[in-house]
């Protein structure tokens, strides 16, 4: 991973590298990352509001030598071979400025807009866990490419076109946790691997210059699974294939007759890799997670700003009938009853332009955990 800073403690790692043995299995690695930054600035000379949103989902199949005599695990790319890889995601940024020139009575309005996606060639992960010391750490990175424009009313008055730019954002995340369970980053050990969840929200109110207010709130979240490859796949599929092929999100009626739009049902199935045509029937439990857009309003610029909300556009069905089949269910997370994972989950649309990412994690009765993949 070219751009990540050195992460693991060499004094701890070197002895284990020397005892490394061929593991004889592969690691299925997934990580989902999201970050939002909301900012505002007020001063006698400038006013600005901005938002940046980025999210990415990465799946890798890694072949290396990840096992040791004492169960200590180290995984590093590109040192360990990546057999297969996929990535999806997006990044968007919108910042509006109003620059004031009190002496001459001129105001400059400026808007920066960028959109982009993750770079498929720039990503990686490092992971270490020592069961004897109950310590572990993770470091991962994604690079986003952004393309956008710089719109300025002063350019337009002078007859000049908007200016266009492109640049990269490097996002690294992770932590070394010496006291598992007391950190914001928690490594959960399961029968066939590891689950790592981390994230934090930080607010910075430090002004750049005297006499101004400058607030920036940054929220990051990530969910990582590192699992030994199993002899079966877990696949997310639509309940109705024909409906899914034609389905587009629909919001509430513009007349106000309805509060929600249409819906789509999804489920997971277990497939034997040696015989994919024969789904497995072993009992399992499913945890669903939904990451949705939250565009203002629900249809272009309707309703007007005073009435529009910024709630999530896609949500799990939380009706009384839906709750019967789940241990717990919220707008963004649904957990099936133990051993009842074959029950479909229903997603309801509240916006004509809604979009999102859904993930599912399956736990078998013996404790084996597998991250689902899309069909």
């Amino acid at each position: 991973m070219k751009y990540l800073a050195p992460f693991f403690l060499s004094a701890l790692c070197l002895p284990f590298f020397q005892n490394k043995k061929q593991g004889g299995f592969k690691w299925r690695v997934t990580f989902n990352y999201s970050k939002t930054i909301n900012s505002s600035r007020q001063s006698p000379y400038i006013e600005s509001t901005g938002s940046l949103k980025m999210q990415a989902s990465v799946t890798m199949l890694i072949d290396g030598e990840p096992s040791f005599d004492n169960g200590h695990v180290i995984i590093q790319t590109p040192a360990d071979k990546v057999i297969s890889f996929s990535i999806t995601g997006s990044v968007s940024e919108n910042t509006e400025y109003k620059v004031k020139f009190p002496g001459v009575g001129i105001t400059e309005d400026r808007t920066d807009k960028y959109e982009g996606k993750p770079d498929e060639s720039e990503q990686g992960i490092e992971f270490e866990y020592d069961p004897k010391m109950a310590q572990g750490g993770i470091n991962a990175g994604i690079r986003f490419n952004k393309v956008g424009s710089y719109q300025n009313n002063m350019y337009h008055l002078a007859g000049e076109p908007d200016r266009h730019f492109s640049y990269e954002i490097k996002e690294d995340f992770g932590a070394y946790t010496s006291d598992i369970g007391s950190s914001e980053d928690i490594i959960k050990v399961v029968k066939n691997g590891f689950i790592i969840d981390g994230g934090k929200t930080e607010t910075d109110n430090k002004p750049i210059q005297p006499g101004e207010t400058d607030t920036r709130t940054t929220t990051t979240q990530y969910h990582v699974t590192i699992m030994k490859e199993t002899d079966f796949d877990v696949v997310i599929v639509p309940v109705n294939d024909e409906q899914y092929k034609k389905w587009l999100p629909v919001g509430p009626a513009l007349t106000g007759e309805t509060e929600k739009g249409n819906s789509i049902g999804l489920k997971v199935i277990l497939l034997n890799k040696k015989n994919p045509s024969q789904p497995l029937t072993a009992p399992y439990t499913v945890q669903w997670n939904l990451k949705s857009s939250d565009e203002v309003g629900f249809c272009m610029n309707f309703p007007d700003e005073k009435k529009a909300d910024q709630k999530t556009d896609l949500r799990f069905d939380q009706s009384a009938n839906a709750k019967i089949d789940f241990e717990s269910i919220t707008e963004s997370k649904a957990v099936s009853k133990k051993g009842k994972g074959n029950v479909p989950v229903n997603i309801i649309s509240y916006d004509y332009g809604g979009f999102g990412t859904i993930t599912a994690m399956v736990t078998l009765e013996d404790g084996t955990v597998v991250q689902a993949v899309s069909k």
Side-chain angles (χ1 to χ4, degrees):
M1 197 157 40
K2 299 177 182 178
Y3 55 88
L4 288 182
F7 175 66
F8 297 109
L9 303 178
S10 59
L12 177 65
C13 293
L14 285 177
F16 296 106
F17 272 118
Q18 294 170 359
N19 295 328
K20 201 171 185 182
K21 287 187 175 182
Q22 177 64 38
F25 52 78
K26 301 176 179 64
W27 291 101
R28 174 76 63 177
V29 177
T30 67
F31 56 89
N32 300 303
Y33 175 80
S34 67
K35 181 176 184 177
T36 60
I37 300 176
N38 294 310
S39 61
S40 65
R41 183 182 176 190
Q42 297 283 335
S43 79
Y45 303 100
I46 187 170
E47 298 176 7
S48 69
T49 57
S51 66
L52 181 147
K53 300 178 182 180
M54 60 181 72
Q55 62 88 22
S57 298
V58 177
T59 300
M60 291 185 283
L61 183 61
I62 298 175
D63 186 11
E65 299 177 351
S67 65
F68 301 82
D69 289 337
N70 65 349
H72 192 103
V73 173
I74 291 179
I75 299 173
Q76 290 179 305
T77 62
D80 292 318
K81 181 181 178 182
V82 178
I83 300 172
S84 62
F85 166 82
S86 66
I87 185 169
T88 59
S90 64
V91 56
S92 63
E93 182 176 3
N94 187 3
T95 306
E96 296 184 355
Y97 302 87
K98 185 180 291 293
V99 183
K100 306 170 186 177
F101 301 92
V104 293
I106 297 176
T107 300
E108 174 188 347
D109 294 318
R110 192 178 88 206
T111 302
D112 292 358
K113 292 184 177 181
Y114 295 91
E115 292 185 348
K117 60 182 181 179
D119 188 332
E120 296 184 1
S121 63
E122 293 287 347
Q123 72 294 309
I125 190 167
E126 298 173 334
F127 174 75
E128 178 181 7
Y129 185 77
D130 181 357
K132 184 176 180 180
M133 300 178 68
Q135 293 183 354
I138 187 169
N139 196 23
I142 305 170
R143 190 182 297 274
F144 292 84
N145 295 320
K146 296 202 310 178
V147 177
S149 64
Y150 172 94
Q151 302 171 349
N152 186 307
N153 67 324
M154 306 299 285
Y155 292 167
H156 296 171
L157 289 173
E160 297 183 22
D162 296 334
R163 299 183 181 182
H164 296 268
F165 300 92
S166 64
Y167 66 97
E168 297 177 336
I169 302 177
K170 181 181 68 175
E171 287 296 314
D172 301 337
F173 59 92
Y176 192 90
T177 50
S178 59
D179 187 6
I180 303 302
S182 64
S183 169
E184 289 180 291
D185 300 87
I186 301 174
I187 298 179
K188 179 182 178 181
V189 182
V190 296
K191 179 178 180 180
N192 58 318
F194 309 89
I195 302 171
I196 306 102
D197 286 291
K200 58 184 177 180
T201 298
E202 296 177 316
T203 299
D204 184 359
N205 293 307
K206 295 179 181 179
I208 299 176
Q209 297 178 357
E212 71 177 22
T213 58
D214 192 347
T215 303
R216 176 183 294 259
T217 301
T218 303
T219 300
T220 58
Q221 290 182 316
Y222 60 86
H223 171 73
V224 183
T225 64
I226 301 173
M227 304 293 177
K228 296 176 184 177
E229 186 73 338
T230 61
D231 57 3
F232 63 91
D233 285 324
V234 176
V235 185
I236 300 174
V237 297
V239 173
N240 185 317
D241 277 328
E242 293 304 314
Q243 179 196 17
Y244 182 76
K245 291 175 183 178
K246 302 175 183 178
W247 192 80
L248 290 173
V250 172
L254 301 184
T255 58
E257 296 175 359
T258 60
E259 296 181 353
K260 56 187 178 182
N262 59 353
S263 64
I264 190 74
L266 300 173
K267 62 181 181 179
V268 296
I269 56 174
L270 279 58
L271 298 178
N272 189 326
K273 290 181 179 177
K274 295 181 180 179
N275 189 4
S277 63
Q278 294 295 323
L280 302 179
T281 57
Y284 57 89
T285 303
V286 182
Q287 177 178 309
W288 296 90
N289 288 281
L290 177 62
K291 184 73 175 178
S292 170
S293 57
D294 54 1
E295 303 297 321
V296 177
F298 60 84
C299 182
M300 301 297 285
N301 59 350
F302 184 86
D304 62 51
E305 190 174 351
K306 294 181 180 179
K307 297 180 180 180
D309 63 47
Q310 201 168 356
K311 296 180 180 179
T312 51
D313 302 327
L314 302 174
R315 308 168 205 169
F316 286 131
D317 183 2
Q318 299 176 78
S319 65
N321 288 336
K323 289 182 177 180
I324 292 174
D325 296 320
F326 288 87
E327 188 69 28
S328 63
I329 187 166
T330 66
E331 291 183 356
S332 60
K333 182 177 179 179
V335 180
S336 72
K337 292 183 178 179
K338 188 174 181 179
K340 306 290 185 179
N342 59 336
V343 175
V345 68
N346 201 39
I347 300 172
I348 299 177
S349 170
Y350 291 82
D351 195 298
Y352 289 84
F355 59 92
T357 303
I358 189 167
T359 59
M361 191 160 55
V362 165
T363 302
L364 301 186
E365 287 190 322
D366 67 357
T368 299
V369 178
V370 182
Q371 189 76 33
V373 297
S374 299
K375 182 178 179 180

